[in-house]
Amino acid sequence: MNNQEIDLLVKDILAQSAQTSKQTSSDPICGARFEDINAAVAAAKQAFGELNTGPMSVRQKIVSTLRKVLADDIPELAERAWRETGMGNVADKIQKNTIALFNTPGTEDLATTAMTGDGGMTLFEYSPYGVIGAIAPSTNPTETIINNAIGMIAAGNAVVFSAHPGAKEVSTWLINKVEQAIYDCCGIRNLVVSVAKPSFDATKAMMTHADVPLLVVTGGPGIVNMAMKTGKKVIGAGAGNPPVIVDETADINKASQDIIRGASFDFNLPCIAEKAVVVVESVASQLLNAFASHGACWVKDKADIDRLRQVAIGENSEANKALVGQSPSTILEAAGVQFNGTPKLVVVAVEANDPLMMVEQLMPLLPVATAVNFEQALQIALKVEGGNLHTAVMHSKNIDHLNRAARAMRTSIFVKNAPSYAGIGAGDEGFTTFTIATPTGEGTTSARSFARLRRCVLSEAFNIR
Ligand code: NAD
């Protein structure tokens, strides 16, 4: 048994005895129980010091413990998030939390590279920043906390979370669980913390705190821009408006089902979800009919479409917050539109420059515009995407079209012939992330995004070629 293993064993024993004494004394100030941000950052800084002097195996143990401990809590997490935010639906939130927990990469993401030669050896290694300030949205509150906690700790950091005020109960409940699980498995207290009462003021104080060198912001453009003004290193995961292009070569039946799946997932809350369709006119009515035959409500009456537009988009040209993440039935009822059954999605045919195409609505109301050909569809899709460089989707069997669109859109995620959520590792190849850094360019973030690449040189040795 080496010294590090002995140290770990001792820490385990100390943690267990602290646990026993804790049962007879009052709760320690830890996890999401801090009154003010300074105390939370100070505690996280101390925790970072402890993690940073330990071996990588501690980080691996933390990640595997979180996967084990939180697995049973996922249904409750989904239920609590849905009740508190009033957005999305429990079944899809279970899926989102499951992929966050089991498909977020851990320490294996931090691949070391080496160069050797007559001069010796140079290593490039991913090293931690220290205490990361992470801001989570209301649309994926617990998914983002799970996903960020795993990636950030795997990279060797401690995290101060700024939970969304609209999801503070479920977020602080989760942060306490995560913190306790980490303490129980390795004896390090406060690797993941937050204030007990998340607020915009606490978020602002965290952003400017001297001991927080990196801000990771998952939210709308307002909060990302605010973080960028602090002068700190920022990983900004901002808004998107993902368009879907459907050309004349697509398997229309499959495309319609994939689009319904993606656009209705958690009632369209994910930033990557399909927000607008541009279809080549020769297959437009085929696609709209296929939507209707696969469970979408295709609203055709012009007055009904006008009313849907009016309730979905406010006078400020932003989505009506009261309808964000609501069910198709709720949206139809709000607009006074007659419908049958329980539609999976609301679909409307509109002009390419309709506000419904241009505004990020975050609700299962999908506008569909037509284009004369693929070239025009691509130009419309570029306008709809709005330069966010976030996500785009395309359904086609024409490889030239797919290549051209993938290059021209320049989005962080480009999904071909699948629902948008294939781009975050749901049901298809690839790891999961809930922080897609668009304005700052890291794209689909993982542990290595939360690490500094450092170079270590050994002169005239360790070249064995
Ligand atoms: P939001 O912008 O309302 O909130 C995000 C976070 O910022 C919250 O924690 C909130 O407390 C904080 N915040 C907001 N305004 C603040 C202010 N003035 N001062 C201090 N803190 C402030 O975001 P939301 O409505 O919960 O999420 C939806 C938005 O986030 C959408 O635009 C969506 O596209 C985007 N989003 C992007 C990603 C991505 O990975 N790129 C992921 C999820 C959500």
Side-chain angles (χ1 to χ4, degrees):
M1 190 177 277
N2 66 31
N3 284 339
Q4 282 187 337
E5 285 169 328
I6 295 170
D7 276 354
L8 274 181
L9 209 57
V10 171
K11 273 191 172 167
D12 271 353
I13 292 164
L14 288 176
Q16 268 167 25
S17 81
Q19 182 71 347
T20 317
S21 63
K22 193 182 97 246
Q23 284 157 6
T24 55
S25 62
S26 59
D27 272 353
I29 304 295
C30 60
R33 297 186 184 88
F34 289 91
E35 287 299 316
D36 76 287
I37 198 72
N38 291 331
V41 174
K45 190 176 173 186
Q46 185 177 333
F48 164 67
E50 289 176 49
L51 185 69
N52 197 33
T53 49
M56 289 290 282
S57 60
V58 172
R59 303 188 211 170
Q60 284 153 0
K61 192 172 171 196
I62 291 172
V63 173
S64 58
T65 299
L66 290 179
R67 296 202 215 279
K68 214 181 312 164
V69 170
L70 295 180
D72 289 344
D73 291 322
I74 284 178
E76 189 173 349
L77 270 178
E79 176 82 23
R80 279 174 178 255
W82 172 70
R83 277 196 191 289
E84 187 177 356
T85 63
M87 298 190 293
N89 62 78
V90 174
D92 291 341
K93 285 190 189 301
I94 288 176
Q95 279 201 45
K96 283 164 60 180
N97 281 285
T98 301
I99 58 170
L101 188 59
F102 292 103
N103 201 30
T104 297
T107 53
E108 72 281 6
D109 195 49
L110 307 165
T112 295
T113 48
M115 298 166 73
T116 62
D118 295 341
M121 181 181 70
T122 294
L123 284 178
F124 294 90
E125 295 217 293
Y126 289 106
S127 311
Y129 278 93
V131 178
I132 297 180
I135 296 179
S138 58
T139 46
N140 312 313
T142 56
E143 302 85 337
T144 306
I145 289 172
I146 291 172
N147 174 246
N148 282 181
I150 290 176
M152 290 171 185
I153 293 170
N157 305 283
V159 197
V160 180
F161 275 110
S162 226
H164 197 287
K168 61 184 166 196
E169 301 297 332
V170 67
S171 302
T172 50
W173 183 78
L174 172 61
I175 290 165
N176 282 328
K177 285 225 160 228
V178 169
E179 196 276 339
Q180 187 65 44
I182 294 171
Y183 176 62
D184 290 346
C185 90
C186 70
I188 303 178
R189 189 99 261 180
N190 290 319
L191 258 185
V192 172
V193 294
S194 87
V195 290
K197 293 186 182 136
S199 65
F200 287 140
D201 284 344
T203 302
K204 279 189 243 170
M206 183 273 278
M207 279 194 191
T208 51
H209 198 291
D211 287 333
V212 176
L214 170 65
L215 298 173
V216 178
V217 185
T218 310
I223 190 72
V224 173
N225 290 337
M226 205 171 134
M228 299 244 221
K229 287 190 188 128
T230 61
K232 294 189 183 208
K233 159 95 180 165
V234 175
I235 295 181
N241 195 39
V244 189
I245 299 172
V246 182
D247 80 4
E248 65 283 10
T249 69
D251 177 339
I252 298 296
N253 198 38
K254 178 179 183 300
S256 70
Q257 292 178 72
D258 285 351
I259 294 169
I260 289 175
R261 283 193 195 105
S264 63
F265 191 48
D266 207 17
F267 295 154
N268 203 273
L269 282 181
C271 55
I272 49 116
E274 292 84 345
K275 299 287 187 282
V277 174
V278 192
V279 56
V280 171
E281 68 185 2
S282 59
V283 289
S285 61
Q286 202 186 333
L287 181 70
L288 285 159
N289 280 310
F291 281 142
S293 67
H294 289 296
C297 174
W298 175 13
V299 177
K300 298 177 188 170
D301 182 77
K302 188 180 170 313
D304 282 346
I305 297 174
D306 288 345
R307 279 202 301 278
L308 278 167
R309 185 187 301 107
Q310 221 165 2
V311 296
I313 299 171
E315 279 172 11
N316 53 1
S317 294
E318 284 176 9
N320 172 5
K321 284 222 184 304
L323 288 184
V324 166
Q326 300 307 307
S327 70
S329 304
T330 304
I331 291 163
L332 290 163
E333 277 160 15
V337 176
Q338 299 288 325
F339 64 101
N340 295 320
T342 313
K344 294 178 184 165
L345 185 68
V346 183
V347 175
V348 289
V350 295
E351 296 294 322
N353 60 358
D354 194 289
L356 288 170
M357 296 287 289
M358 299 301 171
V359 174
E360 185 199 29
Q361 299 170 55
L362 299 159
M363 54 186 93
L365 166 57
L366 191 68
V368 180
T370 52
V372 287
N373 55 25
F374 162 70
E375 269 313 318
Q376 193 188 38
L378 178 56
Q379 295 315 313
I380 295 170
L382 280 163
K383 284 202 185 115
V384 168
E385 210 284 316
N388 291 306
L389 308 184
H390 195 297
T391 299
V393 181
M394 180 158 171
H395 294 271
S396 171
K397 286 187 187 143
N398 183 318
I399 290 185
D400 292 340
H401 286 181
L402 287 166
N403 277 342
R404 169 132 170 70
R407 290 185 77 92
M409 293 304 304
R410 299 173 59 234
T411 43
S412 298
I413 298 177
F414 189 87
V415 176
K416 297 167 180 161
N417 297 323
S420 55
Y421 50 65
I424 55 167
D428 287 273
E429 203 48 51
F431 65 87
T432 290
T433 182
F434 280 91
T435 295
I436 299 126
T438 42
T440 51
E442 291 80 3
T444 47
T445 58
S446 58
R448 71 179 75 171
S449 318
F450 309 126
R452 299 166 54 218
L453 194 55
R454 293 172 58 202
R455 177 170 173 150
C456 197
V457 182
L458 182 66
S459 178
E460 292 175 8
F462 284 92
N463 167 25
I464 54 171
R465 288 182 295 182

